[in-house]
């Protein structure tokens, strides 16, 4: 058989075991409550859907579009940044639309990282962050992240021990899966450190809106000098419940934006134009629909966390993301996250994501996604209580 060296560098998909077990049980008629995949279940707001339908009726919107995003969308992105974060973005040189944040980040890494280049990413973290480096042929170095770690101490140690010097740092706050949130001084230290060490920064800001309890997340680009070294990605998937639409964008350093624009010009013709037009309506439209989505996630978070604590599984309320990152109860911890997740799906009929799928430092946790309604969450709590 032919060997595909790039594929051989990618590890096995560690969620596959639980996903397959879930499908097998469902085929047998079992009712499985799926809190595994972070797939938003709420409908896209009506005014956005209506604009898509209207735009799709016009034949001129059926043609190839622009891989960088149509001009009005890029201007809407710049206006959104000015309103939300008081950050000035040049829509022609510092903004580009992407087919979701995931595609944009992966292609930017592919455009800028060469074999032998060293890239830092937290561990555990969202899989495309480290694996985009592997796909590009770079060398990945993991920076542990968690409440018991000092991120900057670990970052400095890794930098001192790495040769060649690191080229890039990929971060994301609010963070998936750990739900870690940071303040502006944290990002100021990131910018200062990376400028001093000539490190590029990619910040995935996908959960900018999905925050609770008065917490306001800072944008990486609010920090003076951030544009000199990095970019920020945003996705409409969570804020506007548009996951299947695949709409995101990247803003910031014009050299990085130019590299992403160039590689995308070879790879795609952009999103279906009616989707881009509807996305303009989303970004320029009322914010109340986003606030309602956030309120729903908060209600689900409160119900799940209080329920888990009530049955003896100690979990803290996250201030951001649509997830709950739960350390496996001590008496089950030695099982590891895959076996524990298999036990939950078999005995509690609840599917969760094993923490090791986000990196080996996550193996003592599982991730709950807040993608089921309150009735189903209560049902999940009852099932888990029987296991505990």
């Amino acid at each position: 058989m032919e060997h595909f060296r790039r594929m051989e560098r990618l590890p096995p998909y560690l969620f596959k075991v639980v996903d397959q077990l879930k499908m097998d049980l469902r085929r047998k008629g079992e009712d499985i409550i799926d809190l595994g995949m972070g797939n938003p279940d709420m409908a896209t707001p009506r005014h956005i859907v209506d604009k898509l339908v209207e735009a799709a009726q016009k034949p001129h919107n059926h043609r190839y579009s622009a891989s960088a995003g149509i001009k009005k969308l890029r201007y809407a992105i710049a206006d959104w940044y000015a309103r939300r974060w008081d950050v000035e973005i040049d829509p022609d040189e510092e903004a580009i639309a992407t087919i979701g944040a995931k595609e944009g980040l992966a292609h930017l890494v592919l455009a800028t990282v060469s074999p032998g280049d060293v890239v830092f990413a937290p561990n555990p973290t969202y899989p495309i962050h480290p694996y985009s480096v592997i796909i590009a042929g770079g060398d990945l170095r993991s920076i542990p992240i968690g409440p018991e770690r000092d991120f900057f101490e670990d970052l400095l140690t890794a930098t001192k021990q790495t040769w060649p010097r690191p080229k890039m740092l990929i971060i994301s706050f609010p963070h998936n899966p750990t739900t870690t949130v940071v303040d502006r001084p944290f990002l100021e230290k990131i910018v200062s450190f990376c400028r001093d060490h000539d490190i590029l920064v990619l910040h995935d800001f996908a959960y900018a809106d999905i925050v609770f309890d008065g917490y306001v997340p800072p944008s990486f680009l609010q920090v003076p000098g951030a544009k000199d070294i990095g970019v920020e990605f945003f996705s409409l998937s969570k804020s506007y419940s548009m996951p299947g639409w695949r709409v995101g964008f990247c803003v910031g350093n014009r050299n990085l934006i130019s590299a992403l624009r160039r590689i995308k010009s070879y790879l795609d013709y952009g999103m279906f134009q009616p989707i881009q037009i509807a996305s303009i309506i989303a970004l320029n439209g009322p914010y109340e629909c986003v606030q309602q989505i956030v309120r729903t996630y908060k209600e689900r978070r409160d119900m799940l966390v209080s329920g888990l604590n009530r049955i003896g599984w100690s979990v803290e309320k996250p201030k951001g993301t649509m997830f709950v990152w739960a350390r496996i109860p001590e008496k089950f911890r030695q099982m590891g996250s895959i076996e524990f997740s298999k036990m939950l799906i078999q005995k509690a009929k609840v599917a969760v994501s094993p923490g090791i799928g986000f990196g080996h430092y996550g193996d003592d946790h599982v991730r709950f996604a807040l993608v089921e309604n309150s009735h189903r969450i209560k049902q999940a709590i009852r099932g888990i209580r029987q296991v505990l």
Side-chain angles (χ1 to χ4, degrees), residues 110-250:
L110 187 63
T112 56
V113 172
S114 301
D117 286 343
V118 176
V119 178
F120 290 159
N123 187 322
T125 199
Y126 184 53
I128 195 59
H129 296 168
Y131 297 143
S132 63
V133 180
I134 302 301
I135 292 168
D139 289 339
L140 177 70
R141 299 288 188 276
S142 294
I143 310 297
I145 185 172
E148 70 285 355
R149 309 291 307 205
D150 184 321
F151 186 80
F152 287 98
E153 187 176 296
D154 290 331
L155 184 60
L156 179 60
T157 298
T159 302
K160 288 180 177 178
Q161 294 176 348
T162 298
W163 187 261
R165 292 300 185 194
K167 183 172 187 175
M168 181 180 288
L169 169 66
I170 302 175
I171 54 174
S172 179
F173 297 104
H175 184 253
N176 174 17
T178 69
T179 73
T180 301
V181 296
V182 299
D183 55 15
R184 178 163 169 167
F186 180 96
L187 293 181
E188 289 172 350
K189 288 178 69 175
I190 288 285
V191 171
S192 177
F193 182 92
C194 291
R195 290 185 73 172
D196 289 345
H197 292 86
D198 198 24
I199 299 172
L200 298 170
V201 178
L202 275 55
H203 181 229
D204 186 348
F205 205 25
Y207 297 95
D209 290 305
I210 314 301
V211 291
F212 318 110
D213 306 332
Y215 170 70
V216 179
S219 163
F220 169 75
L221 295 180
Q222 287 178 301
V223 179
K227 273 191 196 179
D228 296 338
I229 59 168
V231 293
E232 189 162 73
F233 288 89
F234 180 75
S235 166
L236 276 68
S237 295
K238 287 81 181 178
S239 298
Y240 297 91
S241 201
M242 296 169 63
W245 299 54
R246 308 311 304 131
V247 185
F249 54 80
C250 178

Side-chain angles (χ1 to χ4, degrees), residues 347-364:
K347 295 185 177 181
K349 310 305 179 189
V350 176
V352 298
S353 293
I356 196 171
F358 304 97
H360 63 273
Y361 285 109
D363 197 27
D364 59 350

Side-chain angles (χ1 to χ4, degrees), residues 1 55 110 255 275 309:
M1 291 290 290
L110 187 63
N255 290 330
I275 289 178
N309 280 290

